[in-house]
Amino acid sequence: MTVENFLRSRAPLSTGHAVAALLVLEDGRYIMQLRDDLPDIWYPGHWGLFGGGVDEGEDEFKALQRELREELELEVTQARLFATIDYDLQPVGLDCYFRKYYEVPVTLTAWNRVVLHEGSEVRALRGEEALSLPRISPYDAFALFLHHSRNRLAGSIYAPVAR
């Protein structure tokens, strides 16, 4: 895997609202994706969370369900909004966008049935392992760090999604 597409590609990148899943296994590991090394995607060849764009008029949770079905054949019935990161790109001539992160509990049985359709690899990793990967998309790394370190956040009253 090279970083050629990440550093040197001139292919256009699309912008828009997006959703991502903090897929948390029963044993606490996170399911991560090694993104394809394609010139027209954000952070090619980097590790990240599963998810994708929200289509015009699409409900955000429905977008999350669609993306996880398309990428992993994973059927999601419950998720909890964990964090939203807003991007104001107006100074560079674009618009304001969000990336919403949902905590999604995944059973070990469901994990054993996933089929990877997008990305070049999928792994279940402990938080420290995931955050130590050599190439991880920065926005997903931030959300993953917040989730993994949620008990350190001052005054945190965070309660995970019921399993």
Side-chain angles (χ1 to χ4, degrees), residues 47-113:
W47 287 93
L49 302 173
F50 285 91
V54 178
D55 293 336
E56 184 71 32
E58 186 177 30
D59 174 81
E60 293 142 19
F61 180 65
K62 295 288 186 198
L64 184 73
Q65 288 177 307
R66 175 182 50 75
E67 289 288 344
L68 294 175
R69 189 177 311 111
E70 290 172 0
E71 295 176 2
L72 288 172
E73 293 185 19
L74 181 65
E75 294 297 328
V76 172
T77 58
Q78 60 179 325
R80 174 188 174 142
L81 181 62
F82 175 74
T84 301
I85 299 176
D86 293 312
Y87 298 92
D88 181 353
L89 302 179
Q90 294 174 97
V92 295
L94 296 169
D95 206 342
C96 295
Y97 305 100
F98 64 73
R99 186 167 177 87
K100 293 192 178 197
Y101 291 88
Y102 290 85
E103 179 186 46
V104 178
V106 179
T107 65
L108 293 172
T109 301
W111 164 237
N112 289 325
R113 288 193 314 252

Side-chain angles (χ1 to χ4, degrees), residues 137-155:
S137 69
Y139 42 79
D140 288 348
F142 181 62
L144 183 62
F145 174 79
L146 287 176
H147 191 270
H148 180 66
S149 304
R150 62 196 176 277
N151 294 332
R152 292 179 53 200
L153 301 175

